[in-house]
Amino acid sequence: MSSERIDPFSDGYDVSGVTADGAAWLASAGTYPRSTLALWKEHADAPVVLPCGTVFDVVSAPAVFARRMVDRLWDEGPGSGPVATFRGRMLLFAAPGTAQRLPSLLRWEEFGRTGAIPPLLCHGNGDAVTVPPLLATTPPTSPDSRWLVAPDTRHPWLPGPEILLWAAVRAARAAVRISIFPPADQDAKVYDVSRRR
């Protein structure tokens, strides 16, 4: 590997879609944004822990269910904010205050008790999350940590709790398969009638 330092914010360099404005938006969540940006200039391939609650909240969901949510947001709704993967879960960046409100909305809809919606971890004020590296490494050193929808502006649109509730309910309903046939009786005796005389 070359000892030449790479500037992840220079034009023409692949940074997984994270632009300089997107990096500045992410860094603004921290106490020392300039220090975070300086760290990223030196180590763009390193994940960083950022606080939630002021610039964004994060809803962490199991990858398959979150994929259904993101599909609903893009196919039927307004789209999503930034989305990342981290250790088998998807991180959906949301408007501040979402982490406080979304769990009560899920309880109100009674989807939290039925098991139709898997546990959603809501990270808000007082919490912190690990965001993926800005730099797309090839081959990926951590395939579990990458941007799916990268921040690319200083003021990205972020879904609020009502929109994420809508997406979760739609994703849960899409996962339910309806059959016109009754479930098979597991204790029924089955006879092979194909060998009749």
Side-chain angles (χ1 to χ4, degrees):
M1 178 162 223
S2 170
S3 62
E4 177 183 333
R5 191 170 70 97
I6 298 172
D7 183 0
F9 304 117
S10 66
D11 290 338
Y13 195 78
D14 178 21
V15 289
S16 303
V18 179
T19 63
D21 285 343
W25 172 73
L26 284 169
S28 71
T31 307
Y32 305 104
R34 283 192 257 174
S35 296
T36 303
L37 288 171
L39 172 69
W40 275 331
K41 278 194 176 266
E42 291 291 323
H43 304 285
D45 59 345
V48 173
V49 176
L50 294 174
C52 299
T54 56
V55 174
F56 55 77
D57 280 1
V58 171
V59 175
S60 173
V64 173
F65 186 78
R67 177 57 191 249
R68 284 192 214 121
M69 284 179 65
V70 171
D71 286 347
R72 294 295 168 269
L73 286 167
W74 283 103
D75 293 345
E76 303 169 17
S80 72
V83 178
T85 62
F86 186 75
R87 294 187 178 168
R89 294 183 69 88
M90 278 195 193
L91 307 176
L92 288 84
F93 286 72
T98 298
Q100 181 180 5
R101 183 115 198 270
L102 184 59
S104 60
L105 288 175
L106 286 168
R107 281 191 302 276
W108 178 73
E109 283 285 333
E110 296 187 3
F111 274 92
R113 286 183 263 172
T114 63
I117 296 178
L120 302 178
L121 305 177
C122 298
H123 303 284
N125 198 16
D127 297 326
V129 294
T130 302
V131 299
L134 300 183
L135 183 62
T137 55
T138 313
T141 54
S142 178
D144 271 353
S145 180
R146 63 188 176 98
W147 289 102
L148 300 176
V149 179
D152 59 356
T153 178
R154 284 186 187 264
H155 304 287
W157 178 81
L158 298 171
E162 294 84 4
I163 292 173
L164 289 176
L165 170 70
W166 172 86
V169 169
R170 293 286 177 125
R173 287 182 182 158
V176 174
R177 302 202 194 280
I178 299 173
S179 174
I180 60 171
F181 300 106
D185 184 3
Q186 298 298 325
D187 295 328
K189 295 184 182 195
V190 178
Y191 299 100
D192 184 4
V193 293
S194 64
R195 295 187 188 177
R196 288 183 167 171
R197 292 186 204 203

